[in-house]
Amino acid sequence: GEQVIGKPPSSNRVERIAALRDYQRELLRPYYYYSDVDGEDGSGDEDGDGDGGRGKGEGKGKGKGEAKGKIKRGAVIVIDLDLAALPPPSRVMDVANRLAAANTNTNSNINADVDGGDVLPYDVICAAGVTAANRNDLWYYDTYATILLPDTYVHPLQRRQIKSYYEGEDPALVRSDNRNGNWTQGDIMRYLQHLGTESKYGTVDVKSCFGGMAIYRASTWFDPSCRY
């Protein structure tokens, strides 16, 4: 992927992921944007679902390869291809629709209902993915991508590039260096499940996450500031 966009492969994992994400954005951008010309590329859509540009307008945008104007309401789903199982498709679509339902340019309808469910007031919803490392307990998978609020990176200290806690971290919530130590991925999962039961949406607010599957509001995913 990096060679396609004219960059040599990086030895840094995060840099490789970041470069591929930028490339993916460029490939998908024409499908999510419409022009400001009423009725040509989706901006004449009256029901707000972003499909008004199908046919003439959307074909025009694809043909030119352009991605100018406003972004359509929608969601982008990012999935690891090596997952053993995925959530039920109906659940995925429900979350995607509720996440995408808020107006992409204002928050005027952030509390609206979508088929009986509240709009989800988030930029992204991540899976609380489970690892197969423990067969007898639900162990949280993606410590590498998870930063709890206000600023605690749960990845084990000895697996980090800088092997010391930084200001603002809660060491009690960082996974033990020994995966069977005092604070395991099972403990992290139970902690998140507990917080989820106290949330209106069954979610946990975090600073960063992925979990093997993430559903982004399209306006967030295409924002250049949403990056590694």
Side-chain angles (χ1 to χ4, degrees):
E2 290 174 271
Q3 291 175 318
V4 173
I5 56 177
K7 294 182 179 180
S10 170
S11 60
N12 183 288
R13 176 187 178 189
V14 174
E15 288 180 359
R16 292 199 304 272
I17 294 173
L20 289 172
R21 173 65 59 85
D22 289 341
Y23 181 55
Q24 290 168 350
R25 280 190 180 124
E26 293 308 308
L27 291 179
L28 291 179
R29 198 177 300 275
Y31 296 90
Y32 281 85
Y33 277 75
Y34 57 76
S35 76
D36 292 328
V37 180
D38 186 31
E40 287 194 355
D41 299 85
S43 56
D45 181 26
E46 294 180 358
D47 61 4
D49 63 4
D51 64 0
R54 290 178 182 170
K56 174 186 174 184
E58 194 170 39
K60 176 182 176 183
K62 290 179 187 177
K64 287 187 176 181
E66 295 178 352
K68 298 179 180 179
K70 298 178 181 178
I71 191 169
K72 299 176 183 178
R73 290 181 186 176
V76 177
I77 303 173
V78 181
I79 302 174
D80 275 345
L81 296 180
D82 59 352
L83 298 181
L86 292 169
S90 59
R91 176 60 175 158
V92 174
M93 292 306 300
D94 174 65
V95 171
N97 287 331
R98 292 166 63 197
L99 192 67
N103 193 302
T104 56
N105 301 309
T106 71
N107 290 324
S108 59
N109 64 343
I110 199 72
N111 295 315
D113 287 342
V114 183
D115 295 332
D118 288 334
V119 169
L120 293 171
Y122 301 111
D123 295 308
V124 57
I125 299 288
C126 302
V130 176
T131 176
N134 190 304
R135 301 287 183 178
N136 303 312
D137 197 7
L138 292 178
W139 273 28
Y140 184 73
Y141 158 62
D142 200 4
T143 61
Y144 186 79
T146 303
I147 302 176
L148 304 176
L149 291 174
D151 204 18
T152 295
Y153 185 31
V154 301
H155 203 53
L157 208 61
Q158 292 306 309
R159 293 190 178 186
R160 304 185 193 181
Q161 185 173 1
I162 301 175
K163 304 183 188 305
S164 60
Y165 298 113
Y166 50 88
E167 185 178 355
E169 276 198 290
D170 183 349
L173 297 178
V174 177
R175 204 212 77 176
S176 304
D177 288 330
N178 182 337
R179 72 176 187 174
N180 295 309
N182 294 328
W183 186 252
T184 67
Q185 285 157 257
D187 293 315
I188 293 173
M189 178 62 85
R190 285 184 286 275
Y191 173 75
L192 294 175
Q193 288 175 321
H194 172 70
L195 293 180
T197 62
E198 299 180 341
S199 164
K200 174 182 177 181
Y201 302 103
T203 56
V204 180
D205 289 5
V206 296
K207 192 172 184 178
S208 172
C209 61
F210 180 59
M213 177 177 180
I215 306 175
Y216 292 80
R217 180 176 292 141
S219 56
T220 297
W221 197 76
F222 285 104
D223 188 331
S225 66
C226 177
R227 63 189 305 275
Y228 289 92

